[in-house]
């Protein structure tokens, strides 16, 4: 998509954040051969609504609140994306974030278009009752405008919102939904017990682990970086010990055998080249209010300095824009795993690519959340917990097979051995097992696709990820045609 390509009727590329997303899109589109009109349609933000509504504050005064929802792409339905509560939410931001959701969903084959919404408030300035009124009215306004529904557009948590807000949205949809059996599937990120799925809380962090594991699996890629294949034994620094950073760090150590040598939080960072026990660091922070002064670890005065620590893998999992042209030359990691959204600026990205640092891009790496949201939506539409119908059957079957093997072999198994085998092998998959297995498969498959494009076209991993997304969305348009 060259700058000289004819502009579509309403060119939004001048917008700041959306413009930046479109710049990456444009670079990737150059490496595809789809008709220019199709590329413009993929890039365009289909629907956007901005609305204002009154709420009653606890002191009886009335305040007017502004909300947004952008539905970027309808090549798959419903559209899907978070709702953030932040004072600076604006039209440019929701358009950009909804576009990134379209590309993210396409990369991991989650059959949704992208969306994003927001309410312009600082949630800390409102009581729980006020937040409930805002959330319910926001959901009601979306419903009135046909911007929410299990087959239309499905919100999820984002900055400033969580399970609580998703429950209120779900209940509002139930109240106004005329007995719609599928109202539960109007929103994801609900608590378990209200239609939420087990494994959703740690899904993004777990997806980050699977993504890193895939990237480290290829011996020739690791050889280029002077590293051995595999996650085991690799030194890792994590910035941000929140939902994503904590679970990624924990699973990297527990399941991957990685060595977490550095952890950064708002108050500073700690470093120990012999490895930090993540749960002990969390407990220490809960006890003392800080990660600093963790026994045996060296204190680092600022979180930013931790990004420059020696390590194999650096995981920014807190904020956007933390790696810039200023600190990029001092980064010593061979792999940067973008768990947060947009942690590396585009100039820093160029510097790091020149230095042959392997970037695992956010648009792929943090897709675990939306992948498991898809599993939650499926659960809600099927009205049954994943694994409920088959778990006991699988257990009995495995036990029957083991007992049959015992009967068929010349020597009987020792009874204790048989019982322990039944216990270890003869279990049926729980919902969490199924969710984790689906997530693992999704992340592995998507990385293989991105890597193939990267190697075939000689691209960096981020551009290759966008090419993967564009190809899949273009294929949808090619197969569906354009209405009418
Ligand atoms: P979170 O609020 O749970 O955690 C963020 C953590 O970063 C907090 O512990 C906070 O104290 C810490 N932090 C803030 N400023 C810091 C600094 N300067 N240095 C070090 N640490 C700092 O948020 P989260 O849900 O873990 O999200 C983290 C990032 O991942 C965000 O960019 C988010 O957009 C992205 N993301 C999250 C999800 C999800 O499912 N939660 C999905 C996709 C992307």
């Amino acid at each position: 998509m060259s700058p000289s390509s004819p502009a579509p009727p309403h060119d939004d590329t001048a917008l700041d954040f959306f413009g930046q997303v479109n710049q990456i899109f444009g670079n990737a589109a150059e490496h595809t051969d789809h008709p220019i009109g199709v590329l413009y349609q993929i890039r365009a933000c289909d629907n956007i609504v901005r609305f204002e509504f009154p709420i009653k504050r606890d002191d009886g005064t009335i305040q007017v609140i502004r909300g947004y929802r952008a539905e970027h792409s309808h090549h798959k339905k419903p559209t899907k994306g978070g709702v953030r509560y932040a004072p600076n939410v604006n039209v440019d931001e929701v358009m950009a974030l909804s576009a990134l959701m379209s590309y993210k969903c396409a990369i991991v084959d989650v059959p949704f278009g992208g969306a994003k919404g927001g309410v312009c408030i600082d949630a800390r300035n409102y009581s729980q009752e006020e937040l409930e009124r805002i959330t319910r009215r926001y959901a009601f306004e979306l419903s009135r405008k046909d911007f929410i529904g299990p087959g239309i557009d499905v919100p999820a948590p984002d900055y400033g919102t969580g399970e609580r807000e998703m429950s209120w949205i779900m209940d509002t949809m139930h109240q106004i939904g005329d007995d719609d059996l599928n109202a539960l599937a109007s929103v994801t990120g609900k608590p378990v017990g209200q239609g939420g799925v087990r494994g959703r809380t740690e899904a993004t962090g777990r997806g980050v682990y699977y993504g890193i594991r895939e990237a480290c699996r290829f011996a020739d890629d690791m050889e280029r970086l002077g590293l051995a294949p595999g996650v085991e034994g690799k030194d890792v620094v994590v910035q941000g010990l929140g939902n994503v950073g904590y679970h990624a760090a924990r699973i990297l150590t527990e399941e991957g055998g990685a060595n977490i040598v550095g952890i950064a939080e708002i108050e500073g960072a700690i470093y120990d080249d012999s490895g930090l026990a993540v749960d002990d660091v969390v407990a220490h922070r809960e006890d003392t209010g800080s990660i600093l002064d963790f026994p045996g670890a060296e204190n680092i005065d600022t979180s930013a300095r931790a990004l420059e620590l020696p390590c194999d893998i650096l995981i920014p999992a807190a904020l956007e824009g933390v790696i810039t042209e200023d600190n990029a030359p001092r980064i010593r990691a061979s792999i940067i795993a973008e768990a947060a959204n947009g942690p590396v600026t585009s100039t820093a990205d160029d510097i790091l690519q020149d230095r042959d640092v392997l970037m695992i891009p956010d648009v792929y790496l943090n897709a675990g959340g939306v992948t498991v949201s898809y599993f939650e939506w499926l659960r809600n539409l099927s009205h049954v917990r994943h694994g409920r119908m088959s778990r006991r059957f699988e257990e009995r079957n495995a036990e029957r097979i083991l007992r049959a093997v015992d009967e068929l072999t010349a020597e009987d198994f020792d009874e204790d051995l048989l019982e322990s085998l039944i216990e270890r092998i003869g279990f049926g998959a729980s919902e969490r097992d199924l969710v984790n297995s689906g997530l693992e498969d999704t992340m592995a498959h998507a990385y293989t696709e991105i890597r193939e494009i990267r190697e075939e076209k000689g691209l960096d991993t981020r551009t290759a990820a966008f090419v993967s997304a564009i190809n899949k969305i273009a294929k949808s348009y090619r197969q569906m045609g354009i209405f009418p």
Side-chain angles (χ1 to χ4, degrees):
M1 230 178 172
S2 76
S4 59
S5 305
H10 301 290
D11 187 2
D12 295 316
T13 50
L15 294 170
D16 193 24
F17 186 9
F18 190 44
Q20 287 170 37
V21 174
N22 287 339
Q23 201 173 359
I24 308 174
F25 178 94
N27 292 340
E30 297 283 350
H31 300 278
T32 70
D33 51 10
H34 307 297
I36 192 80
V38 170
L39 291 171
Y40 279 142
Q41 171 52 27
I42 296 171
R43 197 184 69 172
C45 185
D46 290 352
N47 293 342
I48 173 144
V49 62
R50 192 200 88 156
F51 47 94
E52 290 178 330
F53 55 86
I55 63 128
K56 243 188 217 145
R57 304 278 324 235
D58 291 342
D59 64 6
T61 57
I62 309 281
Q63 190 182 343
V64 177
I65 305 281
R66 179 177 296 171
Y68 294 94
R69 186 75 182 169
E71 295 174 349
H72 173 261
S73 177
H74 289 82
H75 70 287
K76 300 274 180 202
K77 284 205 326 193
T79 51
K80 181 105 189 68
V83 175
R84 55 174 56 182
Y85 285 179
N88 54 352
V89 173
N90 58 62
V91 66
D92 174 49
E93 183 180 270
V94 289
M95 283 166 80
L97 292 170
S98 66
L100 287 172
M101 278 303 292
S102 290
Y103 307 137
K104 187 175 290 188
C105 289
I107 287 168
V108 291
D109 289 327
V110 164
F112 295 141
K116 202 76 174 191
V119 177
C120 298
I121 54 165
D122 183 339
R124 290 171 302 184
N125 298 338
Y126 294 84
S127 69
Q128 175 161 321
E129 291 69 30
E130 289 170 337
L131 287 172
E132 181 171 352
R133 289 198 285 277
I134 292 170
T135 306
R136 287 183 181 276
R137 181 67 189 252
Y138 176 74
F140 175 75
E141 290 294 330
L142 291 181
S143 172
R144 210 153 61 159
K145 294 163 176 59
D146 239 358
F147 267 74
I148 187 170
I152 302 170
D153 186 355
V154 182
D158 196 83
Y159 184 87
T161 60
E163 287 184 349
R164 183 183 63 175
E165 285 72 18
M166 300 309 113
S167 289
W168 289 332
I169 293 177
M170 183 265 292
D171 185 62
T172 306
M173 293 304 289
H174 266 303
Q175 301 309 326
I176 61 181
D178 289 337
D179 276 344
D180 180 357
L181 261 183
N182 291 328
L184 203 58
S186 301
V187 59
T188 62
K190 304 177 292 292
V192 171
Q194 295 298 332
V197 78
R198 286 162 187 79
R200 172 66 181 86
T201 310
E202 67 268 31
T204 307
R206 179 167 283 282
V208 167
Y209 164 63
Y210 291 141
I212 293 173
R213 197 188 64 184
E214 282 309 298
C216 292
R217 192 165 64 82
F218 295 91
D220 38 350
D221 293 353
M222 291 301 104
E223 203 179 319
R224 267 183 248 157
L225 302 172
L227 298 173
V231 165
E232 194 168 354
K234 292 220 166 26
D235 288 345
V236 179
V237 170
V238 182
Q239 184 190 48
L241 210 47
N243 175 286
V244 178
Y246 164 68
H247 288 293
R250 181 181 62 77
I251 299 168
L252 269 161
T253 4
E254 283 173 8
E255 296 182 26
N259 202 23
I260 307 292
V261 294
I263 296 179
E265 254 296 334
I266 300 182
E267 61 272 18
I270 49 174
Y271 177 73
D272 182 348
D273 64 3
S274 64
L276 295 157
V278 181
D279 279 323
D280 291 351
V281 174
V282 171
H284 172 79
R285 190 169 190 239
E286 272 166 18
D287 287 349
T288 66
S290 167
I291 57 168
L292 297 174
D293 301 323
F294 183 71
E298 182 191 330
N299 284 341
I300 313 274
D301 53 354
T302 66
S303 167
R305 273 229 305 130
L307 300 170
E308 300 165 23
L309 286 168
C311 63
D312 301 313
I313 305 172
L314 172 63
I315 309 180
L319 307 168
E320 66 282 349
V322 291
I323 301 178
T324 64
E325 60 197 289
D326 293 335
N327 60 1
R330 295 192 298 276
I331 301 282
R332 283 188 272 177
S334 307
I335 300 171
I336 297 183
E338 293 185 329
N341 278 318
V344 180
T345 65
S346 60
T347 329
D349 196 36
D350 292 342
I351 296 169
L352 294 161
Q353 303 285 0
D354 284 349
R355 288 180 39 207
D356 290 330
V357 173
L358 174 62
M359 310 289 295
I360 315 178
D362 49 3
V363 71
Y364 157 71
L365 192 66
N366 64 31
V370 72
T371 304
V372 173
S373 279
Y374 169 47
F375 300 154
E376 180 177 335
W377 180 77
L378 290 175
R379 175 197 162 133
N380 297 156
L381 291 179
S382 60
H383 301 273
V384 63
R385 185 183 70 232
H386 295 300
R388 180 171 174 181
M389 305 288 280
S390 55
R391 184 173 185 183
R392 287 300 155 124
F393 180 78
E394 285 173 18
E395 268 174 26
R396 301 261 154 73
N397 235 8
E399 183 174 343
R400 274 196 291 269
I401 292 168
L402 283 167
R403 291 199 187 280
V405 171
D406 181 30
E407 276 171 29
L408 289 169
T409 44
E411 285 199 30
D412 279 354
F413 288 165
D414 165 68
E415 194 52 35
D416 287 345
L417 173 65
L418 184 61
E419 288 307 321
S420 102
L421 279 175
I422 290 170
E423 201 175 310
R424 275 185 291 142
I425 306 172
F427 66 90
S430 68
E431 179 169 74
R432 189 180 295 277
D433 295 326
L434 293 169
V435 162
N436 289 349
S437 147
L439 176 60
E440 181 175 10
D441 185 57
T442 300
M443 295 303 291
H445 183 70
Y447 191 82
T448 307
E449 289 182 329
I450 294 170
R451 186 176 179 277
E452 271 171 23
I453 294 171
R454 185 187 77 193
E455 297 299 301
E456 186 198 318
K457 296 185 182 287
L459 301 172
D460 60 89
T461 314
R462 190 186 314 281
T463 310
F466 269 73
V467 170
S468 170
I470 293 169
N471 285 344
K472 289 178 187 177
I473 302 175
K475 185 175 172 192
S476 282
Y477 281 112
R478 199 169 58 241
Q479 291 174 338
M480 290 183 306
I482 302 280
F483 178 82

